[in-house]
Amino acid sequence: MNNKYKLLALDMDGTLLTSEQVISQGTSKWIQKAKDQGIHVCLSTGRSFGNALPYGEELGLATPMITVNGSEVWRAPHDLYHRSLMDPRLISDMYDIAAAEGCWYWAYTVDQVYNKDNWIDEIMGNEWLKFGYHTKDDEVRHRILMKLQDMGGLEITNSSPHNLEVNPQGINKASGIQKVCELLGLEMSEVIAVGDSMNDLAAIEVAGLGVAMGNAQEVVKEVADFVTASNDEDGIAEVIQKFILI
C-alpha cells in the first residue's frame, strides 16, 4: 500500500459531483475505500458550509472541510477552525459594480446567501465571506474583472467560465488546505488536490499532486500534474485507484 498521499482534497461542483449534482456510486465506493485505508478526504469548495455539508454527510466524512473557497476551514462538521471575513466596504463597492452592469450576483455572509433577487440593504452590519458575479457576456465579465483588479485587496477566481468569485486577498483553496494540513500534522507534499476551475488553481499548484478533471478549464489542465477522467466518468475514482490504492 502506497501511503505517500494522506489527504485527498476534493472540489465539489464539476469534480465530486456529476452534471446532475450527485455523487456517483462508483466515486462514492472508491472514496470509502480510501477512507478505509486511513486517507483523509476533505471537501474543498466554493460553496457555503450549509450547501456542502449534506454531501459530506452522505460520504460519512468527519474530517476537516474547506468552504467558501478557503474563507472557512472546519476541524470537523460544525466545528469552525478559521474564518476570514471580507471588509463590508469592499462588498458595497462590488455590489455597486454589479448594479451598474446589471448582471446576476450573489454574496455569502456567515449566515446565508444573498443574491440579486433577495439583496440586503444593511451591508455594513453583516459578516461577509465572498462575492460573486455571473454573466455569459464576455465583455461585461471582462469589464467587471478590470474594475475588481483596480480595487485591490481581492482574490479573484471562478467556479465556471461564466462567473467571477471574489474572496479576501490571499484566501483561496490552497491557504485552506495548508490550514487543514496544520490540523492534521501533514505536509503539502502529502496532499492530492482535485478540481476543475480557476478557484482550484492555487491548490492544484501547491499540492503534492495536482489533478485536473477531464472537464476542467484548459488553464487548470495546463498546470495540473495529471488530468483524470471527467466528473461524469468517475474521475475521482480513477485518481484513487491510480495514486492512492496502489
Side-chain angles (χ1 to χ4, degrees):
M1 185 63 61
N2 179 354
N3 291 320
K4 180 180 178 184
Y5 300 112
K6 297 183 172 66
L7 174 64
L8 181 61
L10 301 175
D11 169 53
M12 289 179 59
D13 294 278
T15 301
L16 174 66
L17 305 181
T18 68
S19 301
E20 304 297 314
Q21 300 288 293
V22 299
I23 303 170
S24 75
Q25 284 185 326
T27 291
S28 181
K29 179 183 84 172
W30 283 96
I31 287 174
Q32 300 310 322
K33 285 176 184 264
K35 282 171 55 191
D36 290 345
Q37 293 297 329
I39 304 298
H40 299 282
V41 180
C42 168
L43 299 183
S44 177
T45 180
R47 290 186 180 216
S48 69
F49 174 74
N51 281 334
L53 182 64
Y55 296 96
E57 290 177 335
E58 180 183 335
L59 292 169
L61 301 182
T63 43
M65 287 173 64
I66 298 160
T67 54
V68 205
N69 285 344
S71 279
E72 292 179 329
V73 177
W74 304 81
R75 278 190 194 87
H78 302 289
D79 183 3
L80 184 67
Y81 175 61
H82 184 86
R83 177 178 277 154
S84 300
L85 296 176
M86 185 170 263
D87 187 334
R89 289 170 297 185
L90 292 175
I91 296 290
S92 181
D93 290 345
M94 287 188 281
Y95 165 76
D96 290 343
I97 292 171
E101 293 291 353
C103 69
W104 179 257
Y105 58 88
W106 71 96
Y108 289 92
T109 66
V110 297
D111 298 313
Q112 69 183 91
V113 184
Y114 296 98
N115 59 38
K116 190 175 184 179
D117 290 342
N118 74 334
W119 190 244
I120 181 174
D121 293 327
E122 184 42 59
I123 292 176
M124 292 302 165
N126 275 279
E127 294 183 301
W128 298 92
L129 295 167
K130 184 175 87 163
F131 197 96
Y133 302 86
H134 179 92
T135 174
K136 292 189 175 179
D137 187 320
D138 292 341
E139 288 184 21
V140 170
R141 198 167 53 256
H142 183 70
R143 271 203 311 272
I144 294 171
L145 178 60
M146 293 299 101
K147 291 176 182 177
L148 293 173
Q149 288 177 341
D150 286 344
M151 284 171 61
L154 305 174
E155 188 88 8
I156 307 165
T157 62
N158 74 24
S159 59
S160 91
H162 299 129
N163 75 23
L164 293 167
E165 297 198 347
V166 189
N167 288 74
Q169 193 161 38
I171 300 303
N172 53 45
K173 291 185 181 182
S175 67
I177 291 172
Q178 279 163 340
K179 286 189 170 53
V180 169
C181 284
E182 288 169 18
L183 280 170
L184 299 175
L186 300 177
E187 301 291 332
M188 290 297 283
S189 61
E190 297 175 295
V191 177
I192 299 178
V194 191
D196 70 308
S197 297
M198 293 288 285
N199 66 352
D200 301 303
L201 204 56
I204 286 171
E205 286 180 318
V206 300
L209 183 72
V211 178
M213 299 298 288
N215 51 287
Q217 295 172 37
E218 279 307 314
V219 65
V220 181
K221 289 181 179 178
E222 285 167 13
V223 303
D225 301 306
F226 179 73
V227 179
T228 188
S230 78
N231 61 323
D232 289 327
E233 301 167 318
D234 289 336
I236 289 173
E238 182 183 340
V239 172
I240 293 169
Q241 292 169 63
K242 194 173 183 72
F243 297 104
I244 294 176
L245 303 182
I246 54 176

